[in-house]
Amino acid sequence: MLALYTWCNPDAMETPDGAEKEFSVTTVLQFDQHRRRAADPDATPVSVTAFGFCVGPTFVAWQAVSTIHAGRVHGMPCDDVVLEFAAHGKNLPVRASQPGFAALEAAMVDAFPDTAGWREALQASLRPRGRMLLYCRP
């Protein structure tokens, strides 16, 4: 986005004193991450305990999870994945871009071993925008 703006507006690369600004790939990536966090209300941090996980103030116990779905979230600048946990009649989506997602993923695989290959299965899925059932309590 910054590169597009710079390409459309060459004066954006100069400071008021005429010196050229230096932008690195890291700067652009940091800007993009900041923009996504600011625009994404679901960026609530995830924390994991031995008994379940929290997304903000919402706690979900592992034994309360009835289903787990995985899906893709399409958008700019790149695709994201989401895990959706159903518990107590409510669905709680958690995006991979949320802080703490990696710990949640590892804990989910420990609590529900059948979900271990979910990323590969989602990538192999022919449905580009569909949800995939990972776990269903019998």
Side-chain angles (χ1 to χ4, degrees):
M1 184 166 182
L2 182 60
L4 179 63
Y5 173 74
T6 302
W7 180 75
C8 294
N9 186 2
D11 295 334
M13 289 301 292
E14 292 184 12
T15 60
D17 63 359
E20 285 194 14
K21 294 179 185 176
E22 291 186 23
F23 289 101
S24 66
V25 173
T26 304
T27 304
V28 173
L29 292 175
Q30 288 171 344
F31 172 75
D32 185 54
Q33 288 172 354
H34 172 72
R35 185 180 59 82
R36 272 194 288 162
R37 269 191 236 114
D40 186 4
D42 297 328
T44 307
V46 180
S47 58
V48 178
T49 71
F51 305 105
F53 65 97
C54 292
V55 179
T58 306
F59 176 76
V60 178
W62 293 124
Q63 66 267 24
V65 173
S66 57
T67 61
I68 304 172
H69 284 90
R72 294 186 189 104
V73 179
H74 296 280
M76 292 297 288
C78 62
D79 292 345
D80 198 1
V81 294
V82 63
L83 292 173
E84 187 175 294
F85 297 85
H88 304 294
K90 295 182 181 179
N91 293 334
L92 182 64
V94 183
R95 289 186 175 196
S97 58
Q98 288 179 244
F101 184 85
L104 173 64
E105 181 180 5
M108 176 189 73
V109 171
D110 285 343
F112 308 100
D114 292 342
T115 64
W118 75 272
R119 283 186 185 265
E120 295 79 14
L122 188 62
Q123 287 179 351
S125 172
L126 298 176
R127 295 179 296 165
R129 294 180 186 225
R131 292 183 337 154
M132 176 181 291
L133 180 65
L134 301 179
Y135 171 79
C136 183
R137 187 170 299 282

